Amino acid sequence: MAPAQGQFSDHSDGADGKGGAEGPSVPPAFLTAIDALRSARLRPELEVEPTRPPQRLAPHAYALEAAVVDGEDDLADGRLVLLHDPAGHEAWQGAFRLVTLVRAELEPEMAADPLLPEVCWSWLTGALEARGLLYGEAGGTVTRAGSHYFGALAERRPATQIEIRASWTPREGRGGVPDTASHLMAWGDLLCQIAGLPPSDPADAAVVTLPQRRGPQVP
């Protein structure tokens, strides 16, 4: 499988988000952070691919989408966006920001747990902390939505979906670049956990090179 070239947005020269990460207007720190994402080691149940990034959240952005796949079933899906403002951002308290959306359908027993939102948020922070990652300014929402079917769809059983929207500032390391590969691995751990998969030893993860394939669409 060939490595994905990816898509990123660079508003300093009016780019439309298409094409590879080349050109004098793209900061070297941002390119290094993207290269680390492409080399991350993730569980084999995860299918990951680049997707079009948001256009107005930051001067530079790169986005990935992923699904946890079991045979023909997508157990969970999500999107992770890396934002970069070389001048720094007061609200972020840094020059980089990670933004995510994760969602999955839940079993009825779990959906009925009144502590579910708190538990899901702890899965996110716990995934970061389990990999020893330092971060700041974390915030987000956990939404639980139920669907009941009627009429011609009455035979379907009620369904509950959980959705986590969150963002955090990764601690910058050498050269002002955060360890984006480890943050992506932690995000993958969160996706697998919300999908209901058992924990796995990170050392058993397969190398993922972000193949160009059709994945879940996250509106």
Side-chain angles (χ1 to χ4, degrees):
M1 294 180 291
Q5 294 304 307
Q7 294 182 333
F8 69 97
S9 66
D10 169 16
H11 307 301
S12 61
D13 62 356
D16 63 0
K18 297 180 181 179
E22 301 291 345
S25 64
V26 183
F30 185 55
L31 294 178
T32 300
I34 292 174
D35 287 341
L37 288 174
R38 291 172 175 168
S39 65
R41 299 174 60 87
L42 302 175
R43 289 180 58 161
E45 298 92 343
L46 282 164
E47 293 187 356
V48 185
E49 69 174 357
T51 188
R52 181 176 293 277
Q55 298 295 299
R56 293 180 174 83
L57 295 181
H60 307 278
Y62 183 84
L64 301 170
E65 61 184 9
V68 181
V69 178
D70 180 16
E72 297 295 323
D73 298 324
D74 286 2
L75 304 180
D77 60 56
R79 175 181 293 168
L80 183 69
V81 180
L82 175 66
L83 304 176
H84 179 50
D85 185 342
H89 195 292
E90 183 177 357
W92 303 350
Q93 294 296 299
F96 286 88
R97 187 76 170 171
L98 286 162
V99 182
T100 187
L101 163 64
V102 171
R103 63 187 183 185
E105 188 171 324
L106 300 176
E107 294 297 327
E109 297 78 12
M110 179 177 287
D113 188 341
L115 296 179
L116 179 65
E118 289 83 357
V119 170
C120 288
W121 183 256
S122 73
W123 287 348
L124 169 62
T125 58
L128 295 170
E129 292 162 6
R131 291 189 176 271
L133 294 169
L134 299 178
Y135 63 94
E137 307 304 315
T141 62
V142 177
T143 304
R144 173 171 42 189
S147 298
H148 296 265
Y149 300 93
F150 301 93
L153 303 178
E155 293 184 358
R156 296 187 183 181
R157 65 187 182 98
T160 301
Q161 187 180 75
I162 196 74
E163 180 180 276
I164 303 172
R165 293 179 180 268
S167 62
W168 64 94
T169 299
R171 178 68 60 84
E172 297 169 17
R174 181 177 300 177
V177 182
D179 184 359
T180 52
S182 293
H183 281 271
L184 176 56
M185 288 188 286
W187 182 71
D189 295 339
L190 169 66
L191 268 175
C192 290
Q193 187 164 20
I194 200 172
L197 298 185
S200 69
D201 185 344
D204 296 333
V207 175
V208 175
T209 55
L210 307 184
Q212 294 281 11
R213 64 172 63 181
R214 183 176 177 83
Q217 299 299 313
V218 182

